Amino acid sequence: MALVHSWRRMAVGVATAVAMAAALAGCGGNGDDGRAQPIASLRLLGSASLPTGTVFEGVEFGGISGLDRAADGSYWAISDDRGGERGTPRFYNLGIDYGASGNVTVKINRQANMLREDGTPFPATARTVDPEAIRTAPDGSLYWASEGNWSPTAASRFQPFVRQMTAQGAFVRELAMPAMYRYVDNATEGARSNKAFEALAVAPDGTVYAANEDALVQDGPLTTLQAGSVVRVTAFDPGTGRPRGQYAYALPPIPVDAAPGAPFGPDNGLSDLLAVGNGQFIAVERAFASGVGNTIRLVWTEITGATTDVIGTPRLAGATYAPMTRRVLLEMPLAYQGVKLDNIEAITWGHTLPNGHRTLVLAADNNFTADTQASQFIVFEVLPQ
């Protein structure tokens, strides 16, 4: 396995960076402006699961909340084990192999820790970060997103962020985050506990996009069975690391209610974004109903000339704006073609099939729950228009 072993600090020329990003994203067939041709449909190829309790190098594998294909064909995966639970916050390199016949195999190649600015790992004994997404940068380094950790006690409160690290986990930089995403009081403004950054994407032009899972407090209520909500998708300049635009993505109502007597109610959220072209994405909407299961929607969504830049809008509740477009590519209710859907939180491009069609790989966070969940990987063939 050929892993990336060096970080070149913004030394790649613009033309080279764009070409590398397009290759990493698998965006074949894009026009000169980096816009992709629409997808007609998706065909299930197969799935595989690693059972909860799988141990690698003495640490339990699981909690896979982000997945992205590297230039060498391997995959980067990040665990949402936040510390104070099963181990030190970490990420993995995986091998995921499959063909047109749909026989999917998954191999864990190695694991590493995300490091802090001083070069030390995040603590294994306390909650500080909540890793939820990982993406490959044009130069082979990695972006990763943390939901942070809400606490009413300031000393135990850690803010959401998006950072860049080397392929070995060393800190490179932190992107400049708009203040609206910060935890404030979990009641009147700011991010809601465990509802911050879940989605991360890198476009062919290198632009980094990050989005919260469900509405910020000032942007309105969380999704319900009766009404949807809205999240913010922020675009970051890859050179400066500063935001250069922000767009609203409308989440639909929760599709299925929880079972009677369930310990908690149902929810719906944006769990990941995959760049298809510049300003074009496949969004993963993940709904869960306790005692019932998961409903997963894959949605084609775009930032167009008509989409409102809301970065200067402090409160979306009651505001007038045009959200990103939304077209459902595939809805998978509870079980799909014999595959019982798990907690899908990640999506990436896979390899290209012999017929020239691209593939998508989805991954599920098993929540380290042995009785009912596993680390699931599902592969789809992309059928172009």
Side-chain angles (χ1 to χ4, degrees):
M1 177 186 61
L3 294 173
V4 178
H5 287 289
S6 65
W7 157 246
R8 293 166 290 151
R9 190 179 296 270
M10 312 309 291
V12 182
V14 173
T16 302
V18 170
M20 290 173 69
L24 289 169
C27 293
N30 287 6
D32 293 339
D33 61 354
R35 302 287 279 186
Q37 296 299 313
I39 292 173
S41 61
L42 301 171
R43 184 175 73 89
L44 178 66
L45 290 182
S47 67
S49 295
L50 296 181
T52 297
T54 297
V55 174
F56 182 77
E57 296 181 350
V59 182
E60 185 175 353
F61 177 84
I64 301 304
S65 296
L67 186 72
D68 204 38
R69 190 168 186 257
D72 66 358
S74 65
Y75 293 80
W76 297 110
I78 199 164
S79 172
D80 68 359
D81 189 353
R82 63 181 73 181
E85 296 173 348
R86 289 165 181 81
T88 305
R90 57 200 177 276
F91 66 106
Y92 295 90
N93 185 271
L94 307 178
I96 305 175
D97 294 321
Y98 54 89
S101 63
N103 182 29
V104 182
T105 60
V106 180
K107 177 186 176 185
I108 307 171
N109 295 325
R110 73 175 181 95
Q111 69 178 356
N113 299 128
M114 295 84 75
L115 303 180
R116 295 179 287 189
E117 292 180 68
D118 64 1
T120 63
F122 291 90
T125 57
R127 289 187 170 192
T128 55
V129 293
D130 186 359
E132 294 289 352
I134 192 167
R135 291 294 177 199
T136 309
D139 63 356
S141 64
L142 301 168
Y143 294 105
W144 67 286
S146 166
E147 277 192 310
N149 185 65
W150 159 254
S151 172
T153 304
S156 301
R157 187 184 312 149
F158 295 89
Q159 297 297 339
F161 62 67
V162 176
R163 290 184 177 180
Q164 193 168 9
M165 64 180 175
T166 69
Q168 291 73 43
F171 176 89
V172 173
R173 62 172 177 168
E174 184 169 322
L175 303 189
M177 197 56 55
M180 63 189 66
Y181 287 116
R182 292 180 62 83
Y183 288 124
V184 179
D185 59 8
N186 203 40
T188 64
E189 63 176 310
R192 287 181 163 98
S193 178
N194 207 36
K195 296 292 184 182
F197 294 128
E198 284 273 348
L200 193 62
V202 178
D205 65 4
T207 303
V208 182
Y209 294 86
N212 47 311
E213 180 182 4
D214 208 334
L216 302 176
V217 177
Q218 65 268 25
D219 290 340
L222 296 172
T223 51
T224 66
L225 290 163
Q226 293 75 36
S229 67
V230 63
V231 301
R232 296 178 185 247
V233 179
T234 300
F236 294 89
D237 185 286
T240 66
R242 302 190 62 81
R244 64 183 184 194
Q246 189 180 83
Y247 311 93
Y249 180 88
L251 281 167
I254 300 169
V256 180
D257 198 359
F264 47 84
D267 66 6
N268 191 27
L270 179 66
S271 66
D272 208 358
L273 281 174
L274 175 66
V276 180
N278 293 329
Q280 298 171 295
F281 311 89
I282 297 174
V284 180
E285 295 176 0
R286 182 271 323 273
F288 175 70
S290 180
V292 179
N294 294 278
T295 301
I296 307 300
R297 291 191 181 105
L298 301 183
V299 177
W300 180 281
T301 181
E302 298 191 18
I303 299 166
T304 70
T307 307
T308 306
D309 186 341
V310 297
I311 199 164
T313 306
R315 306 179 71 88
L316 294 182
T320 300
Y321 56 87
M324 296 167 62
T325 64
R326 181 179 177 280
R327 175 174 66 88
V328 176
L329 287 172
L330 182 65
E331 179 163 344
M332 298 179 283
L334 308 180
Y336 181 73
Q337 296 187 12
V339 176
K340 182 181 179 182
L341 298 174
D342 213 316
N343 181 31
I344 300 296
E345 291 201 358
I347 185 172
T348 184
W349 293 110
H351 63 250
T352 300
L353 297 174
N355 63 6
H357 291 173
R358 293 175 295 169
T359 57
L360 294 172
V361 183
L362 280 60
D365 172 5
N366 68 343
N367 293 311
F368 297 97
T369 303
D371 295 337
T372 58
Q373 293 186 265
S375 296
Q376 183 184 55
F377 299 85
I378 305 176
V379 181
F380 289 92
E381 179 183 4
V382 176
L383 303 178
Q385 286 189 342

